[in-house]
C-alpha cells in the first residue's frame, strides 16, 4: 500500500487498524486503512460542524467510530455550527419567484403561511384543509436519517391520526418502495416526490407545519434550520446538531431520547417517533402556542448565518499557530465509513 499510495510506510502504519467497515457492533471486523484516523493523527486541530457532535465524537463509540481516544489525545474536537445562506428567507421576493412560493411572509405576517400550505396541498392533491397538521420530510431515505423507523411510525399513525405528510427525497430502494406503498394506501394523507429538488423544497418548507428529522445521528443538519426560517416547526431526535439547535417547546419538538444507533427498527423507537408526531398533532390544536414557537423558530434561525460561523472558524485558526505547509486542520462532517474524510 505504501508504494501504491506513494507515502512512507510509517503513514500507512498510522492508518492501519482492525475495525468494522460500517458503524455498529454487529458488523465484522477486518483489516483496513482508516483515512479518518490518519487525518486525526496528522492534524494540528480537529473540528466538526456542531458542538454536540464534537462532544459525541469524543465520548460515544458508535459516533466516534472507535476514534474517540485519538480525538481526546489531540485535545478534543471543536464544534462550529453550520450557517444558512442569507437568501433562504420566506421574505425574499427573489426566492418566492424562483421557488414558486404562493406568498412571502415573516414573523409579523405568519397568517400568509396558510396560503403556502393551501398551495402545497393543492400541488400534491391533498384535501385543502387549514386545520389538518401538515408534516414534511426532506432528505435522504436512509437509516442514518431514521427514515426506516419513521415510516413504521407513520404507517400506524396515517390510519388513525388527523394529519398529512409530504415526503421528498431519494435513497435506499427498500425505503423508496415503502414510501410509495404509503402514498398508494393513503392518497389523501400522504404525498411523495422521490427526489430532492432545489426550488420545490422551498414550497414544502413554506407550506408545511412540521418538519420530521428523527436521525440516528446528525453532525449538524440543515433541514431543521431551514425549516425554522420558514416557521415550520422541527421534530427532531436529541442528537448532534439537532440537539444544539432545537429546544423542546421553544424552537421545536424533541423526542424523549435518541434512536438506537444500530440499523434496526426497534418497537420502542417506533413508539418514540409516533409519540413525537402525536405531540405535534396536539400542539397544532393550540394556535397561540404554534404561533409562539414559530416566531421563536424564525428569530433563532435568522441568527444562524455563515457570517457567524465564519467568525468562529477565523477564531479557530490562530489557535493552530501561523498557517504554513505543516499546519493541518481535520474537519469531520459525517464519520460513517472508515475511509471518509472531509
Amino acid at each position: 500500500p505504501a508504494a501504491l499510495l506513494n507515502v512512507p510506510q510509517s503513514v500507512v502504519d498510522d492508518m492501519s487498524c482492525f475495525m468494522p467497515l460500517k458503524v455498529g457492533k454487529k458488523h465484522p471486523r477486518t483489516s483496513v486503512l482508516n483515512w479518518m484516523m490518519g487525518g486525526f493523527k496528522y492534524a494540528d486541530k480537529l473540528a466538526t460542524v456542531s458542538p454536540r457532535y464534537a462532544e459525541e465524537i469524543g465520548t460515544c463509540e458508535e459516533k466516534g467510530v472507535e476514534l474517540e481516544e485519538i480525538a481526546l489525545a489531540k485535545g478534543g474536537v471543536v464544534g462550529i455550527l453550520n450557517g444558512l445562506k442569507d437568501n433562504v428567507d420566506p421574505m425574499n421576493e427573489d426566492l418566492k419567484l424562483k421557488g414558486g412560493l404562493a406568498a412571502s411572509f415573516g414573523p409579523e405576517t405568519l397568517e400568509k403561511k396558510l396560503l403556502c400550505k393551501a398551495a402545497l396541498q393543492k400541488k400534491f392533491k391533498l384535501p385543502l384543509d387549514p386545520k389538518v397538521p401538515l408534516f414534511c420530510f426532506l432528505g435522504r431515505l436512509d437509516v442514518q436519517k431514521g427514515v426506516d423507523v419513521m415510516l413504521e411510525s407513520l404507517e400506524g399513525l396515517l390510519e388513525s391520526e388527523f394529519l398529512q405528510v409530504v415526503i421528498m427525497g431519494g435513497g435506499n430502494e427498500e425505503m423508496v418502495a415503502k414510501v410509495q406503498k404509503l402514498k398508494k394506501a393513503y392518497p389523501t394523507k400522504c404525498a411523495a416526490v422521490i427526489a430532492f429538488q432545489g426550488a420545490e423544497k422551498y414550497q414544502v418548507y413554506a407550506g408545511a407545519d412540521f418538519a420530521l428529522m428523527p436521525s440516528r445521528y446528525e453532525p449538524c443538519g440543515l433541514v431543521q434550520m431551514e425549516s425554522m426560517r420558514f416557521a415550520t416547526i422541527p421534530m427532531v431526535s436529541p442528537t448532534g446538531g439537532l440537539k444544539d439547535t432545537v429546544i423542546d417547546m421553544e424552537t421545536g419538538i424533541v423526542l424523549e431520547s435518541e434512536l438506537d444507533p444500530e440499523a434496526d427498527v426497534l418497537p420502542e423507537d417506533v413508539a418514540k417517533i409516533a409519540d413525537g408526531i402525536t405531540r405535534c398533532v396536539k400542539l397544532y390544536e393550540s394556535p397561540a402556542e404554534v404561533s409562539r414557537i414559530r416566531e421563536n423558530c424564525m428569530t433563532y434561525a435568522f441568527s444562524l448565518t455563515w457570517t457567524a460561523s465564519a467568525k468562529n472558524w477565523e477564531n479557530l485558526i490562530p489557535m493552530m499557530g501561523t498557517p504554513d505547509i505543516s499546519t493541518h486542520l481535520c474537519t469531520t462532517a459525517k464519520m460513517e465509513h472508515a475511509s471518509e474524510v472531509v
Side-chain angles (χ1 to χ4, degrees):
L4 182 65
L5 297 171
N6 194 28
V7 297
Q9 183 60 44
S10 60
V11 173
V12 172
D13 293 342
D14 279 338
M15 296 193 298
S16 298
C17 59
F18 191 70
M19 66 183 298
L21 284 174
K22 290 189 176 183
V23 174
K25 296 177 181 177
K26 69 179 183 179
H27 296 293
R29 291 178 175 273
T30 185
S31 295
V32 298
L33 285 181
N34 190 320
W35 296 95
M36 183 65 77
M37 177 186 289
F40 272 34
K41 288 182 175 180
Y42 285 92
D44 295 294
K45 195 69 183 175
L46 307 180
T48 191
V49 290
S50 72
R52 175 66 180 180
Y53 190 57
E55 180 184 335
E56 291 169 348
I57 289 172
T59 58
C60 176
E61 184 177 318
E62 288 83 8
K63 295 173 186 176
V65 290
E66 302 185 25
L67 301 182
E68 57 273 14
E69 290 185 9
I70 299 174
L72 292 174
K74 297 290 289 190
V77 184
V78 175
I80 298 175
L81 203 62
N82 278 336
L84 295 176
K85 295 179 180 178
D86 293 339
N87 66 345
V88 179
D89 181 351
M91 294 180 282
N92 181 347
E93 287 297 324
D94 190 48
L95 182 68
K96 176 192 172 186
L97 213 61
K98 293 179 179 178
L101 305 189
S104 55
F105 58 88
E108 305 300 323
T109 54
L110 277 172
E111 69 279 358
K112 291 185 179 180
K113 186 173 170 68
L114 284 173
L115 298 175
C116 296
K117 180 175 182 176
L120 189 64
Q121 289 172 324
K122 184 177 180 181
K123 178 183 179 71
F124 288 108
K125 298 181 172 59
L126 298 171
L128 298 181
D129 187 347
K131 295 181 180 179
V132 60
L134 177 54
F135 292 79
C136 71
F137 173 85
L138 296 98
R140 285 193 331 276
L141 303 180
D142 187 84
V143 293
Q144 182 244 321
K145 297 293 185 183
V147 176
D148 50 344
V149 186
M150 181 189 76
L151 294 177
E152 288 292 326
S153 300
L154 284 172
E155 190 167 21
L157 291 170
L158 287 169
E159 181 68 36
S160 58
E161 288 288 347
F162 183 56
L163 61 85
Q164 295 172 344
V165 61
V166 173
I167 298 172
M168 179 179 284
N172 181 285
E173 289 184 9
E174 186 178 331
M175 293 182 203
V176 168
K178 186 68 176 286
V179 169
Q180 299 284 31
K181 181 181 176 183
L182 285 177
K183 179 182 175 183
K184 185 176 180 180
Y186 303 99
T188 63
K189 288 187 172 184
C190 181
V193 178
I194 307 303
F196 196 77
Q197 302 181 27
E200 198 171 26
K201 76 175 182 178
Y202 294 116
Q203 296 173 29
V204 178
Y205 280 139
D209 297 303
F210 299 95
L212 301 173
M213 209 167 174
S215 305
R216 282 184 168 85
Y217 63 94
E218 193 65 60
C220 178
L222 291 177
V223 168
Q224 85 281 10
M225 299 196 293
E226 289 185 331
S227 71
M228 286 192 278
R229 284 258 178 114
F230 286 83
T232 297
I233 300 171
M235 187 213 79
V236 305
S237 299
T239 184
L242 302 179
K243 189 175 177 68
D244 285 323
T245 53
V246 182
I247 300 172
D248 193 55
M249 290 303 292
E250 292 297 327
T251 54
I253 297 293
V254 182
L255 301 184
E256 60 179 297
S257 59
E258 296 183 37
L259 304 186
D260 185 84
E262 298 281 359
D264 295 316
V265 178
L266 303 181
E268 53 265 40
D269 285 342
V270 174
K272 197 181 298 177
I273 293 178
D275 180 65
I277 294 174
T278 301
R279 284 184 63 201
C280 294
V281 172
K282 296 294 183 187
L283 172 63
Y284 199 68
E285 295 172 0
S286 304
E289 275 293 272
V290 169
S291 293
R292 179 184 68 82
I293 295 173
R294 281 177 171 169
E295 289 174 13
N296 288 347
C297 284
M298 294 191 85
T299 300
Y300 174 62
F302 279 105
S303 73
L304 300 172
T305 65
W306 277 115
T307 299
S309 295
K311 288 179 180 177
N312 289 323
W313 283 104
E314 286 176 352
N315 291 335
L316 175 63
I317 303 303
M319 295 170 57
M320 297 163 52
T322 304
D324 58 31
I325 197 167
S326 63
T327 302
H328 304 87
L329 173 68
C330 180
T331 63
T332 72
K334 183 179 67 170
M335 292 172 53
E336 182 175 8
H337 303 295
S339 61
E340 185 163 25
V341 180
V342 175

